[in-house]
Amino acid sequence: MDKDELLKQAEEAANHAYAPYSRFRVGAALLCEDGSVITGCNVENRSFGLTICAERNAVAKALSLGKSAFSAIAVSCPDSDVPVPPCGACRQVLSEFVSGTFPVHYRGRGPDSRSVSMDSLLPHDSLKNLKDRLGRG
Ligand code: THU
């Protein structure tokens, strides 16, 4: 699956966002190694700190379906003028399951997208030793 198709699925997921407080919809599409795509959207709460980001929603959804091997993720923010990469918390959670070369594609409202590696989003992993200990690569 190419990145534009994955970004399109992310944008569709953003339509399901529950974001009445920020009015900032986010959709994520996680490509699994088995070829399936698991989407997620942000789900806000009036107790703001309980908000779930689109990317972490997609990761939790995938794990709960027994999928933990991923090939790429796309993030779409149709309410943003500029492409928006995953937030810090989502970078940390994604990095639990993917390698440093894992591709992250993201875009805002327009068609222009950016593509970066997990390594570039989360350099100097403070807990790399704990991940290495699991031997998951
Ligand atoms: N948000 C995400 O869903 N993913 C990100 O990586 C950045 C932030 C959501 C959280 C909140 O609902 C809204 O965007 C504004 O921060």
Side-chain angles (χ1 to χ4, degrees):
M1 169 167 308
D2 72 9
K3 79 175 163 55
D4 289 322
E5 174 56 27
L6 202 59
L7 281 160
K8 195 170 140 222
Q9 296 207 32
E11 189 173 335
E12 281 166 16
N15 289 325
H16 301 299
Y18 178 73
Y21 302 105
S22 71
R23 304 244 170 237
F24 191 82
R25 294 165 297 160
V26 185
L30 195 53
L31 178 61
C32 302
E33 276 184 6
D34 66 6
S36 62
V37 175
I38 304 295
T39 58
C41 60
N42 52 333
V43 180
E44 297 184 346
N45 190 274
R46 63 190 182 283
S47 178
F48 297 161
L50 299 182
T51 290
I52 300 164
C53 288
E55 299 90 323
R56 278 177 289 148
N57 191 350
V59 169
K61 214 167 129 183
L63 266 288
S64 69
L65 290 167
K67 299 166 194 273
S68 59
F70 308 123
S71 316
I73 192 169
V75 181
S76 172
C77 297
D79 299 315
S80 172
D81 291 336
V82 294
V84 179
C87 77
C90 290
R91 294 176 196 200
Q92 179 71 33
V93 169
L94 270 171
S95 77
E96 184 72 20
F97 302 102
V98 306
S99 74
T101 57
F102 178 80
V104 179
H105 312 293
Y106 57 98
R107 77 176 177 204
R109 173 182 298 122
D112 294 343
S113 63
R114 293 186 192 154
S115 299
V116 296
S117 67
M118 190 70 232
D119 255 350
S120 72
L121 286 179
L122 193 71
H124 317 298
D125 184 347
S126 62
L127 296 170
K128 187 173 182 305
N129 59 330
L130 288 183
K131 186 176 175 187
D132 290 347
R133 214 184 283 167
L134 292 180
R136 303 182 71 248

